[in-house]
Amino acid sequence: MGAKTETPRERYRAQVRAEIKKHAWEQIATAGASALSLNAIAKQMGVSGPALYRYYAGRDELITELIKDGYRSLADRMHAAADDEGADVRALARTIRRWALEDPHRYFLLYGTPVPGYHAPDETTVISQEIMTVLLDTCVREPWAPAAEEPEAPFAAHLRDHRAWAQGHPAPPAVLHRALSLWVRVQGVLSLELAGQFAGMGFDTDAFFEAEMADAVK
Amino acid sequence: MGAKTETPRERYRAQVRAEIKKHAWEQIATAGASALSLNAIAKQMGVSGPALYRYYAGRDELITELIKDGYRSLADRMHAAADDEGADVRALARTIRRWALEDPHRYFLLYGTPVPGYHAPDETTVISQEIMTVLLDTCVREPWAPAAEEPEAPFAAHLRDHRAWAQGHPAPPAVLHRALSLWVRVQGVLSLELAGQFAGMGFDTDAFFEAEMADAVK
DNA sequence: TGTACATCAGTGAACGCGCGTTCACTGATGTAC
DNA sequence: TGTACATCAGTGAACGCGCGTTCACTGATGTAC
């Protein structure tokens, strides 16, 4: 079951790839994703620009890997939170927000303005779905989660026939709706908060987020 | 009351400034705001690059003007919608969404990932506040709008003392809360929808938006 | 109405910069006998 | 254990590109007498 035995060269390659990504994240955290430059990373590493082409085919491949790692980190964090004894959906929401506040540029890389000319590969879609699955898993355990037999609101009824995104998750339509709604509300707060739209408005963002979540699970 | 009489030269300047902005928007709609380039605009206008410096001090000034115009267009649209006989807050929300879908890049310029190294001047903040005011005006007319005397939820109580952003609007705290919450939910749907995060999920986005709004005014 | 002057739009050359990417190469590291 | 060879990380030069911005200038347009 262990990984195929690594040659020293393979190990070295993996290390350098990781170091490149580390510097890439630092750069993104400083100037945003659109400013990501291979040459600048190389300079920071004390290495010539073309050297990086041994490790990544080009800028796009690096960005793809960063996006994948970004989704992975969120998914892992959510798994960890969901596995905690007694974790409810509000705890999960807080986990998402903490993850986002931790590195706003990483958040924007995944959920912000699409990088022009870049199109996400399938691998990232798979992790996005995994994230939704964790959310759904947590929602079905909630006390407010309606049973499958209850009468459905119109949109829940719509979801009954349009649940492909839930990957065959057994949650009843009303729960799908709740999860989707909660996801959107989390994203709503985060996209505005991290873009600085709440700056100077004067209210307590933590309290607002809590109020939103309280309302979402009511 | 008319504008101060314009000399032909002033008129000409205004025309050219408008034409520059027109091409700027086209460019933004094609490749996003980060790709906005004065030289490219000049080329499109069949004019040399430095010529544009007669009209804008530099790239930043142009972007500022675009952002201001963007906020202005949303504010105007919302005023028009709010003044319509019998317009409720859901109609207003639809207006916002239509405005966003009409030109996603314009939306992202205002509410998306902040442009690195750019900081918004006060003038844009003023228009943002105007937008909130329209929203609040519409909310206080709603049948669900709670009276000032009703008992307050914790966050509404917090808003009682942190309502600077409402610019002295007379709406009771509970209404402030509702308006804020509605605003965030609209933004939540839009930021995900326009970034393409709903692509391939398979449900009807219009219907989802309607369901969100129905729940927000419940 | 005609002339002299001031204003100002637009030009082309230039500066300095950084980008992604390719290519032929050197020199170190690993592999096979 | 020692030698011959293959692999491959990293270099430096180069290509072609576009960017924002400055500067001294030409030539057209407006203004004042």
Side-chain angles (χ1 to χ4, degrees):
Chain A
M1 126 155 334
K4 198 183 284 178
T5 35
E6 262 182 345
T7 66
R9 264 192 180 144
E10 282 167 348
R11 206 176 358 257
Y12 179 73
R13 278 186 68 81
Q15 273 177 15
V16 176
R17 282 177 71 100
E19 198 186 337
I20 292 171
K21 285 196 281 188
K22 199 194 77 192
H23 283 100
W25 281 119
E26 282 169 9
Q27 210 171 292
I28 284 178
T30 305
S34 59
L36 208 171
S37 139
L38 290 185
N39 286 323
I41 292 171
K43 185 175 289 182
Q44 230 172 341
M45 289 174 67
V47 111
S48 80
L52 301 193
Y53 284 77
R54 291 266 160 209
Y55 302 92
Y56 290 98
R59 191 175 179 269
D60 271 21
E61 193 182 294
L62 175 57
I63 291 184
T64 297
E65 185 117 347
L66 293 174
I67 292 178
K68 240 178 56 191
D69 286 4
Y71 277 119
R72 185 75 268 144
S73 74
L74 175 56
D76 289 349
R77 208 69 78 75
M78 286 175 68
H79 273 122
D83 290 350
D84 259 10
E85 194 67 38
D88 62 355
V89 78
R90 294 172 67 177
L92 194 59
R94 278 184 213 110
T95 299
I96 299 172
R97 180 154 174 267
R98 260 196 307 271
W99 171 88
L101 290 172
E102 194 176 295
D103 186 346
H105 283 99
R106 178 179 57 189
Y107 172 84
F108 283 125
L109 180 64
L110 305 191
Y111 296 109
T113 311
V115 180
Y118 175 85
H119 217 65
D122 292 345
E123 312 161 65
T124 67
T125 311
V126 171
I127 315 185
S128 295
Q129 285 166 344
E130 185 184 328
I131 288 169
M132 281 316 274
T133 301
V134 182
L135 185 57
L136 287 169
D137 283 342
T138 312
C139 283
V140 288
R141 297 201 302 251
E142 290 284 316
W144 49 257
E149 307 80 30
E150 288 184 28
E152 282 167 4
F155 186 67
H158 171 81
L159 284 180
R160 180 180 288 287
D161 302 323
H162 300 83
R163 54 188 302 154
W165 56 277
Q167 298 287 299
H169 197 283
V175 173
L176 296 183
H177 186 186
R178 288 283 208 146
L180 206 52
S181 183
L182 191 124
W183 178 244
V184 162
R185 295 178 81 164
V186 170
Q187 294 283 343
V189 175
L190 290 180
S191 67
L192 290 172
E193 179 179 17
L194 298 179
Q197 297 279 346
F198 291 158
M201 287 183 78
F203 58 83
D204 181 341
T205 319
D206 287 2
F208 177 55
F209 183 74
E210 288 299 322
E212 280 297 290
M213 293 304 103
D215 185 66
V217 301
K218 209 161 54 187
Chain B
M1 135 157 323
K4 198 184 287 181
T5 36
E6 261 183 346
T7 67
R9 261 190 181 146
E10 283 168 348
R11 208 179 354 259
Y12 179 74
R13 277 185 70 79
Q15 274 176 15
V16 177
R17 281 175 72 99
E19 198 187 336
I20 292 170
K21 285 196 281 188
K22 199 194 76 189
H23 284 99
W25 280 119
E26 283 169 10
Q27 211 171 291
I28 284 178
T30 305
S34 60
L36 206 171
S37 140
L38 290 185
N39 286 323
I41 292 172
K43 186 175 290 182
Q44 230 172 342
M45 290 175 65
V47 111
S48 81
L52 300 194
Y53 284 77
R54 291 265 159 209
Y55 302 92
Y56 291 97
R59 192 175 177 269
D60 271 22
E61 194 182 292
L62 176 57
I63 291 185
T64 298
E65 186 116 347
L66 293 174
I67 291 178
K68 240 177 57 191
D69 287 4
Y71 277 118
R72 186 73 267 145
S73 74
L74 175 57
D76 289 350
R77 207 69 79 74
M78 285 174 71
H79 273 122
D83 291 350
D84 259 11
E85 194 66 39
D88 61 355
V89 77
R90 293 173 67 178
L92 194 60
R94 279 182 214 112
T95 299
I96 300 172
R97 181 155 173 265
R98 260 195 308 271
W99 171 88
L101 289 172
E102 195 176 295
D103 187 345
H105 283 99
R106 178 179 58 188
Y107 172 84
F108 283 125
L109 180 63
L110 306 190
Y111 296 108
T113 312
V115 179
Y118 175 85
H119 217 64
D122 292 344
E123 314 160 65
T124 66
T125 312
V126 171
I127 316 184
S128 295
Q129 284 167 343
E130 186 185 328
I131 287 169
M132 280 316 272
T133 302
V134 182
L135 185 59
L136 287 169
D137 283 343
T138 311
C139 283
V140 288
R141 298 202 303 252
E142 291 283 317
W144 49 257
E149 308 80 30
E150 288 183 28
E152 283 166 2
F155 186 67
H158 171 81
L159 284 180
R160 179 180 291 285
D161 302 324
H162 298 83
R163 53 190 301 156
W165 56 276
Q167 298 287 298
H169 196 284
V175 173
L176 296 184
H177 187 186
R178 288 284 209 147
L180 207 53
S181 183
L182 191 124
W183 177 245
V184 163
R185 295 178 81 164
V186 169
Q187 295 283 345
V189 175
L190 290 180
S191 67
L192 289 173
E193 178 179 17
L194 298 178
Q197 297 279 345
F198 292 159
M201 287 183 79
F203 59 81
D204 180 342
T205 320
D206 287 2
F208 177 55
F209 183 73
E210 288 300 322
E212 279 297 290
M213 293 305 103
D215 185 66
V217 301
K218 210 162 51 185

